[in-house]
Amino acid sequence: MAHLLMIESWVGGTGRLFPPAITSLGHRYTFVTRNRGHYLDAKAREIHPVLEHAENVLTTETNDVPALIEFLRRQHGILQFDGVVTVCDYYIDTVAQVAQALGLPQGFSTHVARERRKDLVREAIQRAGLPNPRFGVVASWHEACDAARDIGYPLVMKPTDLASSAFVRLVHDEAELRDAYEALERFDRNFRGQPRERRWLLEEYMTGEEVSVEAVTFRGETTIVGVTDKSLTGFPYFIEDGHMFPARLDPGQVAEIETLVRGALDAVGHDHGISHTEVKLTAVGPRIVEINPRPGGNYIAELVQRVTGIDLLSAQIELALGRRPDLQARDTGIQSAAIKFLVPPAAGRVVAMHGLESLNGDGHLVRSTLSDVTGSELAAPIDNACYLGHVLAVDSGGHEARRHAEQAIARIALQFAPAT
């Protein structure tokens, strides 16, 4: 079986599912990280899966790509890798560069660096003549003010190079624009210590339901696996607090969404790898929110597998080895699967948590990761890193999985200490 080289990982979600997915297929992997401590939690009793399942763990600077390549060239001579992988957005381009230098296959597009940049995606969609919201790419406060006047309020300000909805903010006026601009200006390195692209993306605020399209491209041939729905909370931030697969849509909507996504993937040159493309269903038709050249996070891969039997994590592994993945759907007996995250309503110290016992014996739930956080000091919820856990529900008879998951989370209540 194959020996994979994994460069960094997400800590939650797919980062927990991907390591055992590799070993369950009989493969092994060497994990490379700049900081083992990033994957250690002093409060947790378990070893993080990415460390637990690794055959080797190597520590070296993964943010210095030329030095990393030389280090891994020597390791490759000893360990003999068969492909290069990651599930962390911030190291996708690193994987592509390492794989090219070592002459190894990898599971990402030729143009993955472009696909990772939200501003370059917007510009590619515009050049292709596809429907696009009004937008502006700016590098200064003066340019931001000019772009905001052209676009009009409300608008959305985004970083061009971050993930997990970090620093994505709904802006209603120039004062809020200034706050959002300065917050991002102060954040000069991303969450993995890499220098950031000093550009801001301003976009027309699009209203409507949001979905994502899960697809797999093998050597230029794209297969649409399905459409996942999404719920958001925490405005003016955009925190994803739930998903259901498949989304409850009529066939005409699905066809229109898929046509747009295929066009957008062609526009950015997506020629290989899994894609998770977010789409807003506006009153004037679907519009691309962003393209992610990797499997969807937040356990979307698990939702897809529970309903269709298609294993997107296995597909990612096969793509990284240069092999065509198995995308044949099968009857699993499940019609819909949904996940709902517990997002704290505000910052503060939790003095009581109610309703956890109500989850016991709920026949619609297949998993709950919620635990009592009484005594914890919670930060303000501003992105997807704020989750306190989740429930996962399934429905064998229809599209009620989301309702089951939402009802379960609705029974949980946090009580905070009075503000002082």
Side-chain angles (χ1 to χ4, degrees), residues 19 44 79 88 113 217 230 239 397 400 404:
L79 299 173
C88 181
T217 303
K230 176 190 297 187
I239 302 170
E400 298 300 320
H404 298 322

Side-chain angles (χ1 to χ4, degrees), residues 122 125 130-134 204 206-207 209-211 256-257 260-261 264 277-290:
R122 275 279 169 251
I125 291 172
L130 296 172
N132 218 12
R134 297 187 301 276
E204 169 190 357
M206 299 182 286
T207 59
E209 182 183 356
E210 188 167 329
V211 299
E256 189 177 10
I257 293 165
L260 175 64
V261 169
T277 305
E278 297 170 349
V279 179
K280 185 73 78 170
L281 307 183
T282 77
V284 292
R287 299 290 185 270
I288 300 295
V289 176
E290 62 185 51

Side-chain angles (χ1 to χ4, degrees), residues 204-248:
E204 169 190 357
Y205 175 53
M206 299 182 286
T207 59
E209 182 183 356
E210 188 167 329
V211 299
S212 62
V213 176
E214 323 310 330
V216 181
T217 303
F218 180 72
R219 296 178 181 172
E221 178 187 334
T222 296
T223 300
I224 303 292
V225 175
V227 182
T228 310
D229 80 7
K230 176 190 297 187
S231 54
L232 297 168
T233 190
F235 296 104
Y237 304 101
F238 293 80
I239 302 170
E240 300 175 9
D241 72 342
H243 304 276
M244 183 176 76
F245 183 90
R248 191 194 295 262

Side-chain angles (χ1 to χ4, degrees), residues 21 74 126-127 167 188 226 254 260 264 326 340 342 399 401 407:
R74 294 192 296 272
Q126 192 84 347
R127 287 194 300 271
F167 290 90
D188 60 352
V254 172
L260 175 64
D326 178 10
K340 185 73 174 178
L342 181 60
H399 286 74
Q407 289 177 343

